[in-house]
Amino acid sequence: MKNLHFQKRLTVFGIIVLGSIILLRLACYNSYPFVYPDTGTYIRSGFEVFVPIDRPIFYGLFVRIVSFSTSLWNVVFVQSFILAYLVYLILKEFIGSTYFNFYYFFILTFLCLTTGVSFNVSMITPDIFTSFLFLIVFILYAMPDLNIFHKFILWVLFIASILTHHSHLLISIFIFGFFLVSIISKIYFKNLFQKFISKIYFIQKLLLLILI
């Protein structure tokens, strides 16, 4: 039984790895990860361990740790793996298990061909973590029945995403504020609706008594 469970998890891991490779289409086409004018600052901050004046050090440390001080390919692979994992969790919630693998690879391929997801995930900047932030919040909000293993990973990724950019803290506060307002509104309108129904029911009983 344990071997079967391990094989299942290993299969899922392999599927996500293949999804990661699909997402790296443009990096493979370019023969190297994409860089940006800010990329050098992030790399330098991580390897020299200093905090830049206009950005946090975490993404630089992320680059240093994940690259093993050897190659930036490791960085974009981890970024693509995180995205492939998040997409996997979302699709698993809405697509049946019969043809799941086909739909998973098809959707990832479609996204790579029609959107800029491959370019963003293949770039050495923390911008892709903004997308991670929104996807993680959506998963945690829409899928409360996830097992503790996935929830733990998602919260670690959520905290890591916040730390990669100054704006992510404000974005996360806004997102949670939005969901908090939506939950409160839902509860309020539900109670209001119940009160309205109870009043209608009371009026019906009153009219029935008058008619009798």
Side-chain angles (χ1 to χ4, degrees):
M1 189 68 181
K2 287 185 178 180
N3 289 335
L4 186 64
H5 187 68
F6 176 76
Q7 287 177 357
K8 185 178 179 181
R9 289 205 168 188
L10 195 62
T11 302
V12 172
F13 180 79
I15 291 169
I16 296 174
V17 168
L18 289 176
S20 307
I21 295 171
I22 292 173
L23 289 171
L24 289 174
R25 181 183 74 88
L26 287 180
C28 294
Y29 178 79
N30 190 53
S31 300
Y32 199 73
F34 294 97
V35 295
Y36 193 73
D38 294 339
T39 300
T41 304
Y42 286 115
I43 295 174
R44 182 167 168 251
S45 69
F47 279 85
E48 296 184 8
V49 192
F50 79 96
V51 181
I53 193 171
D54 57 346
R55 66 202 68 206
I57 193 177
F58 182 82
Y59 186 74
L61 294 174
F62 168 78
V63 171
R64 178 179 179 176
I65 294 168
V66 172
S67 68
F68 297 107
S69 301
T70 56
S71 175
L72 294 178
W73 275 108
N74 300 337
V75 180
V76 293
F77 177 77
V78 171
Q79 291 179 172
S80 66
F81 184 86
I82 294 171
L83 183 58
Y85 168 69
L86 296 176
V87 173
Y88 180 91
L89 290 181
I90 293 172
L91 294 181
K92 198 69 176 175
E93 181 74 12
F94 300 104
I95 297 178
S97 58
T98 308
Y99 300 105
F100 175 79
N101 293 345
F102 169 77
Y103 286 117
Y104 177 67
F105 292 127
F106 174 79
I107 289 172
L108 286 181
T109 304
F110 180 78
L111 289 173
C112 283
L113 294 175
T114 58
T115 71
V117 63
S118 182
F119 178 74
N120 286 302
V121 83
S122 301
M123 184 176 289
I124 308 296
T125 64
D127 296 356
I128 190 63
F129 282 85
T130 308
S131 302
F132 296 165
L133 204 63
F134 282 96
L135 290 174
I136 291 167
V137 171
F138 172 78
I139 294 169
L140 290 172
Y141 179 78
M143 307 173 198
D145 296 329
L146 275 176
N147 64 50
I148 192 68
F149 173 76
H150 289 301
K151 284 184 177 180
F152 175 77
I153 293 176
L154 289 171
W155 277 110
V156 170
L157 290 175
F158 178 76
I159 294 170
S161 299
I162 291 176
L163 294 174
T164 57
H165 203 278
H166 288 312
S167 64
H168 290 176
L169 178 60
L170 294 174
I171 291 172
S172 62
I173 292 172
F174 173 79
I175 293 172
F176 275 109
F178 173 79
F179 281 116
L180 183 62
V181 170
S182 66
I183 291 170
I184 293 172
S185 299
K186 185 178 180 181
I187 295 171
Y188 173 76
F189 284 112
K190 182 180 179 181
N191 293 335
L192 195 66
F193 180 74
Q194 288 176 344
K195 288 179 181 179
F196 176 75
I197 294 297
S198 64
K199 287 182 180 180
I200 293 294
Y201 181 68
F202 174 76
I203 293 170
Q204 284 179 338
K205 287 181 69 177
L206 187 63
L207 288 173
L208 186 63
L209 287 171
I210 292 172
L211 289 174
I212 292 173

